[in-house]
Amino acid sequence: MEDLRSTYYIKTETFTSLEYLEFLYTLYLPLIGYKAVFLYEYLNNFVRLKRDSIYLEDLINETTMNTQDFYFERQMLESIGLIEFYQKDDLNYLILIKGIKSPKKFFADLILKGLFINKIGEKKATELMSRYKIDVDLKGYKKITSSIRDNFSVEFDPNYLKVGDDIKLMSNNTGEISDNFNDSAFFEWLKKKSNINPKHITTEELKKIHDCGVIYGLDEKTMAVLTNDAFDPSRIEGSKVNIKQLYERAVKEIALTKSYNKRFKKTEKINISSDTDIAKKIRYYQSISPRDLLKERQNGVEPVSSDLNILAYLNANMGLSKEVINVILDYTLDRLNNVLDRNYIEKIAASLLRNKCETALDALNYLCGRNKKQKDYVSNNSENSENKTTVIDTSKIIVDDDVDLDDLWND
């Protein structure tokens, strides 16, 4: 965690028009929430007022957020690609503001698209996409637009082209979702593992390969092998990689691969310096990937594909961080005698989302809290009944708006 005496330099390499502010609210708000949207607008306004730097403590005070909220919302903006965060030394940091994606670029990002539809529903997402549809039908028209040479004499001193080469100009530079999959490394492995010419893989196909690697937690080497298997040179340009086959192979082969890099959404939470058991548990959940947690729980054996599908669903579809997923996995395995039941897991995940549990500590507090309510109920109904068998009516145990999670398992 940064020292409150740290200096934050806030810079931008983009500009934000009114139209793009609309996209901030229609496309990003459902994913990141109003606090993160406010922080993004605050940072942009900071730059517009020609301010350059500010102490972290003053920055937090100006936003009227508490310290934990500020760190969380800043990391939310980092994860979604609206800002980038840099460190120079222990007391100097830089926030670089990135641009808002247009609807076309937003929905072209498969991860953003999947998270968005999962958040607001397919019907509302389709309605929103239709709102931004280009309503232009050029069928029957012939393009007769004037060219640049029709009205300008393109003659000038070639030395003019060198003017300002050393000046980096602003544009609508949008950030990308941060992940550890390196496209260049993928192509290097593809050259080693196949005879495929990278020129035959289009940008659109590369994006889908990249997303597959991120969603299923596969490294560049593994994706190169799977791409080679899914590549058909006889097909037309743009469809030489059978994307459906690629995703199917990813699910089937992931349990066999040993070269795994952590690909789940990374959320570096505030460091916990305590050495209590609960603090150690939280640090463990923050440091390990869900896949590795499952491997540890089953003595180093790779998780089967059905279990990996659960992890992908919790991360990509429900938008849960790896530490919250780890709490869910550990809790489920403990409660169900090492059985990983998907219905039970999804019920817990939905409860955590409704109760706005965004960190391992939030999740543990909620789950431990509901268990305490159950135990208190059992205790109250068992007093003076040492020699009697007490039948507990779980329907009377109130846990927010959820039915008891264990009832789901017993059904």
Side-chain angles (χ1 to χ4, degrees):
M1 181 170 69
E2 301 94 279
D3 192 307
L4 289 176
R5 296 168 298 173
S6 300
T7 298
Y8 268 39
Y9 296 90
I10 303 173
K11 306 291 183 181
T12 186
E13 59 178 22
T14 186
F15 54 86
T16 304
S17 64
L18 289 176
E19 289 81 4
Y20 276 80
L21 277 178
E22 175 187 329
F23 304 151
L24 176 66
Y25 282 88
T26 57
L27 302 178
Y28 288 87
L29 178 61
L31 293 180
I32 62 178
Y34 71 94
K35 289 184 180 180
V37 167
F38 159 74
L39 182 57
Y40 182 76
E41 291 215 61
Y42 168 88
L43 294 173
N44 275 284
N45 194 57
F46 187 95
V47 174
R48 279 195 291 268
L49 293 175
K50 306 299 183 183
R51 300 172 70 183
D52 179 68
S53 63
I54 186 173
Y55 286 117
L56 176 56
E57 184 175 18
D58 293 337
L59 175 58
I60 293 174
N61 289 336
E62 285 192 15
T63 62
T64 68
M65 293 180 176
N66 61 49
T67 304
Q68 185 172 357
D69 277 353
F70 174 80
Y71 284 124
F72 180 81
E73 304 306 338
R74 191 203 71 204
Q75 291 166 355
M76 185 70 76
L77 293 177
E78 294 169 25
S79 299
I80 208 72
L82 286 175
I83 66 171
E84 291 178 353
F85 191 54
Y86 298 88
Q87 179 180 10
K88 186 175 183 180
D89 51 48
D90 289 343
L91 290 176
N92 289 280
Y93 299 84
L94 184 143
I95 290 178
L96 182 61
I97 302 171
K98 307 294 288 187
I100 300 166
K101 290 181 183 290
S102 66
K104 181 178 180 179
K105 288 185 176 181
F106 185 91
F107 289 111
D109 188 309
L110 298 184
I111 295 177
L112 283 179
K113 182 178 181 181
L115 290 174
F116 185 81
I117 295 175
N118 181 70
K119 195 74 173 181
I120 72 168
E122 187 175 343
K123 181 180 179 182
K124 288 185 178 180
T126 303
E127 290 174 354
L128 187 63
M129 284 187 246
S130 298
R131 173 179 172 180
Y132 295 124
K133 181 178 67 174
I134 298 175
D135 190 20
V136 179
D137 183 4
L138 297 178
K139 187 177 181 180
Y141 288 85
K142 179 182 178 181
K143 186 176 181 179
I144 56 173
T145 305
S146 299
S147 71
I148 186 71
R149 293 184 180 276
D150 289 337
N151 293 286
F152 294 89
S153 176
V154 186
E155 296 178 0
F156 46 75
D157 187 340
N159 290 323
Y160 292 168
L161 301 178
K162 299 178 183 179
V163 174
D165 278 356
D166 58 339
I167 301 175
K168 187 175 182 180
L169 300 176
M170 292 176 62
S171 69
N172 188 33
N173 290 318
T174 59
E176 300 300 326
I177 294 178
S178 180
D179 59 62
N180 296 326
F181 193 93
N182 188 294
D183 293 341
S184 297
F186 163 75
F187 278 125
E188 288 298 319
W189 279 111
L190 192 65
K191 291 177 183 177
K192 295 177 182 178
K193 296 294 179 179
S194 73
N195 294 319
I196 298 173
N197 188 332
K199 293 180 180 180
H200 292 311
I201 295 180
T202 64
T203 303
E204 291 76 15
E205 288 173 318
L206 176 61
K207 183 69 171 63
K208 292 176 181 177
I209 294 168
H210 180 114
D211 290 342
C212 183
V214 172
I215 291 170
Y216 288 106
L218 295 171
D219 62 11
E220 296 85 354
K221 179 180 178 182
T222 305
M223 288 307 300
V225 174
L226 298 185
T227 300
N228 183 47
D229 292 342
F231 188 84
D232 184 351
S234 65
R235 301 178 70 172
I236 62 172
E237 200 79 12
S239 62
K240 292 183 182 293
V241 179
N242 188 325
I243 301 300
K244 181 180 179 182
Q245 181 183 333
L246 180 74
Y247 273 71
E248 289 174 349
R249 279 294 310 277
V251 173
K252 291 178 182 177
E253 298 297 325
I254 191 171
L256 300 177
T257 181
K258 302 298 181 181
S259 54
Y260 173 69
N261 291 327
K262 297 172 185 176
R263 301 287 181 239
F264 281 84
K265 184 174 71 176
K266 185 177 181 182
T267 51
E268 295 290 341
K269 297 301 175 186
I270 300 170
N271 292 329
I272 299 174
S273 58
S274 170
D275 285 324
T276 62
D277 289 341
I278 188 67
K280 291 177 182 177
K281 199 74 170 174
I282 290 173
R283 286 198 294 269
Y284 171 72
Y285 289 141
Q286 291 177 345
S287 64
I288 193 170
S289 73
R291 180 177 172 184
D292 284 342
L293 184 143
L294 288 181
K295 285 178 66 175
E296 284 193 5
R297 291 292 301 249
Q298 50 199 44
N299 299 319
V301 177
E302 286 282 352
V304 297
S305 59
S306 58
D307 291 347
L308 294 168
N309 283 337
I310 295 174
L311 306 188
Y313 177 81
L314 293 175
N315 181 246
N317 292 74
M318 301 195 79
L320 296 173
S321 65
K322 72 174 184 182
E323 62 184 85
V324 173
I325 294 173
N326 285 334
V327 173
I328 295 172
L329 296 176
D330 228 13
Y331 179 84
T332 301
L333 292 171
D334 286 342
R335 299 279 286 179
L336 304 186
N337 194 25
N338 288 318
V339 174
L340 205 63
D341 181 79
R342 179 161 187 157
N343 289 335
Y344 188 86
I345 286 173
E346 290 182 4
K347 179 66 178 177
I348 295 174
S351 297
L352 294 179
L353 282 176
R354 282 194 293 272
N355 286 277
K356 304 188 186 316
C357 297
E358 298 165 331
T359 67
L361 182 59
D362 293 339
L364 287 170
N365 280 336
Y366 172 74
L367 294 173
C368 291
R370 64 174 302 281
N371 282 341
K372 184 178 185 301
K373 290 180 183 180
Q374 267 192 331
K375 289 176 182 177
D376 289 345
Y377 186 85
V378 173
S379 176
N380 292 337
N381 282 275
S382 301
E383 290 180 0
N384 303 319
S385 304
E386 293 181 3
N387 298 321
K388 297 180 181 179
T389 301
T390 303
V391 179
I392 302 169
D393 182 2
T394 56
S395 65
K396 294 181 180 179
I397 303 175
I398 301 174
V399 184
D400 298 327
D401 60 343
D402 299 324
V403 299
D404 189 79
L405 297 175
D406 293 325
D407 287 344
L408 181 66
W409 176 246
N410 293 324
D411 286 345

